[in-house]
Amino acid sequence: MTLIRFRPLLAAAALLVLAAAQKAPPPRWWSPGEGRSFPATLDYANEHGTQRSLLVGGPMPTKGHPFFEPIGPNGRACVTCHQPADGMSLSAATARQRWDETRGRDPLFAASDGSNCPSLPQSEKASHSLLLERGLIRIQRPWPVREWQGKPVTPDFTIDVVRDPNGCNSGEKYGPKAGNVSVYRRPRPVSNFKYLLAVGFAYDPKQGIALPRDPDSGAMQSGNLMADNRARNLREQMEDASSTHLEFAKHLTPAQIDRITDFEMRLYTAQQVSKQGGALDSGGATGGPAKLRDSEPGALGSIGTPVWSEYAAWEKISSEDAAKLTPEQLAFRQSVARGARTFRDKTFLITDSSGINSPVGFGNPVRNSCVFCHNMAQMGNDVAPGQVDLGTTTLPYADPFDDLPLFRITCLKAPHPFYGRTFYTYDPGFALTTGRCADAGKITLQSMRGLAARAPYFSNGLAKDLRAVVDYYERRYNISYTEREKQDLVNLMSVL
């Protein structure tokens, strides 16, 4: 009798547990091979609100899919370093959490590039400090550069290792004397590729030369795929990643490349909800990934759709709409709208930046605003192909790092246009692809969508948060932002 009496209560409790489970957020970490389905709409909370990924044609089973399966020997998959909860990149906070949960045994921490150097004791947390503290993956490039765009190259500069705190730029196996250079960079997001592959010019306006061509299609190359532009299309990017980060012995098959390309080209990621401002597609605003999915890459912000015009409606909120908001929500929305205007309209002198101020560029100095380089409508990446040097990796502008290798670059022909014959850098950047001293320090601009989910920022994790991004530009170009303008810009970036 007692058991019969309690059965309804047990059933009700089971239903409550089931309902709670159905409402629970999806697990943040995607392990290779777990077979989870990728839904049409996938939301994850972050420090600034909620990020959303939209998969056109989803949901998609991931069992057997080459982006999600550990088909290499080290147990990794593409998803290991391109996590949906981190804007299809990898945040340092996620890396730390994964270390704690697995005691450093996750394939993410593979000795080849998930540690500061394979020669270090891999069980020690300190051996993975660059990944854990700044979200950096080791990238090993051949030295000297052998070819650029399929043609042989003789570098016009030398590299000397001034400091090697991690042991991966000196010795018999690692470093210029061993035929390679190790640099450390953030994983780039693999989403919103409709925009990242778009080309706005028939030539490279930063160098005054014709654009490289896609080796497969013959189409002009956007140059926005990798930090040093070493891959000309998605196939080359995948083959580079599979042979290094996944340690494949063989190339991906054409069928596998097609499946990964199909997934990446259907994926759109952006912030969807702000903790302070509410839904980003409300009150006349059109924030969120649906705008990216439904729009086409825009022209230069100065002559086409204004960059971040998604939030123009928040600049002048009607009294009727304001009455529906808390004072905090109203103030935040107005701040975002002001940030978008500051981003577009506040000009400053851009100086000594290769790819911008070079002799074939736009003059030195040139007066413009943030939109000069972050100019593609709906996206904020550079519609004008080509790499630029903002000083984030090169002295005297980069912050002093004691955990990164420091290289001395010596130009053998013409001196660098701004640094002279000899200078120092933590990452030669694009020069490791072209072999040209004038390209040292140049890095492909980061995508601006999904910033809230993937701190830290810049290619080497120089900025720990969004405020540090603004502060760096303030120091670098003496912009003289007011405190309100700085916060407005932070709030804008938090909703992208």
Side-chain angles (χ1 to χ4, degrees), residues 404-472:
L404 289 178
L406 183 64
F407 305 100
R408 180 172 58 245
I409 305 296
T410 302
C411 302
L412 299 177
K413 296 180 180 179
H416 188 280
F418 305 118
Y419 299 132
R421 182 76 61 183
T422 300
F423 55 96
Y424 299 85
T425 183
Y426 300 108
D427 185 347
F430 191 37
L432 292 177
T433 299
T434 67
R436 298 190 297 244
C437 194
D439 292 331
K442 288 184 179 178
I443 294 288
T444 304
L445 294 174
Q446 291 282 322
S447 166
M448 292 194 71
R449 285 295 191 165
L451 286 173
R454 51 185 171 89
Y457 306 105
F458 296 122
S459 65
N460 56 4
L462 178 151
K464 66 178 182 178
D465 53 31
L466 295 175
R467 176 56 186 259
V469 173
V470 177
D471 288 342
Y472 176 79

Side-chain angles (χ1 to χ4, degrees), residues 139 141 185 226-231 387 429-430 432-433 444:
I139 309 293
R141 300 299 320 277
R185 298 173 184 161
M226 304 185 80
D228 56 17
N229 198 28
R230 66 184 182 273
Q387 287 59 49
F430 191 37
L432 292 177
T433 299
T444 304

Side-chain angles (χ1 to χ4, degrees), residues 121-274:
Q122 296 302 303
S123 62
E124 295 184 10
K125 195 172 185 179
S127 300
H128 306 265
S129 61
L130 292 174
L131 176 55
L132 295 171
E133 295 170 15
R134 291 204 268 134
L136 303 180
I137 294 291
R138 187 176 75 92
I139 309 293
Q140 183 170 293
R141 300 299 320 277
W143 180 258
V145 177
R146 290 192 279 269
E147 65 174 35
W148 163 231
Q149 299 180 19
K151 298 179 181 179
V153 168
T154 299
D156 66 358
F157 64 97
T158 61
I159 293 179
D160 296 299
V161 181
V162 177
R163 186 182 67 233
D164 186 27
N166 305 302
C168 252
N169 280 291
S170 56
E172 295 182 1
K173 293 184 65 176
Y174 305 106
K177 293 180 180 179
N180 56 74
V181 171
S182 289
V183 293
Y184 300 82
R185 298 173 184 161
R186 299 280 292 113
R188 295 176 70 86
V190 291
S191 188
N192 306 321
F193 272 126
K194 177 170 68 176
Y195 297 86
L196 294 176
L197 296 176
V199 175
F201 286 83
Y203 66 98
D204 180 350
K206 298 179 176 68
Q207 301 184 79
I209 60 176
L211 289 181
R213 294 281 179 170
D214 185 312
D216 298 336
S217 70
M220 291 181 291
Q221 172 194 330
S222 74
N224 279 322
L225 284 180
M226 304 185 80
D228 56 17
N229 198 28
R230 66 184 182 273
R232 293 170 289 180
N233 59 19
L234 284 175
R235 175 185 62 79
E236 289 189 347
Q237 182 272 324
M238 293 177 206
E239 290 178 345
D240 178 271
S242 64
S243 65
T244 56
H245 307 309
L246 303 180
E247 300 183 280
F248 283 11
K250 298 180 180 180
H251 285 309
L252 289 165
T253 67
Q256 289 171 328
I257 290 173
D258 287 345
R259 292 188 72 187
I260 296 173
T261 300
D262 171 72
F263 167 68
E264 292 178 344
M265 292 300 298
R266 293 190 290 119
L267 190 63
Y268 296 91
T269 303
Q271 196 78 345
Q272 177 66 29
V273 178
S274 165

Side-chain angles (χ1 to χ4, degrees), residues 271-291:
Q271 196 78 345
Q272 177 66 29
V273 178
S274 165
K275 283 183 179 179
Q276 295 175 277
L280 302 178
D281 56 359
S282 64
T286 54
K291 176 75 170 181

Side-chain angles (χ1 to χ4, degrees), residues 62-78:
T62 65
K63 185 174 179 59
H65 194 287
F67 188 92
F68 297 90
E69 287 290 342
I71 49 182
N74 64 8
R76 282 181 176 174
C78 302

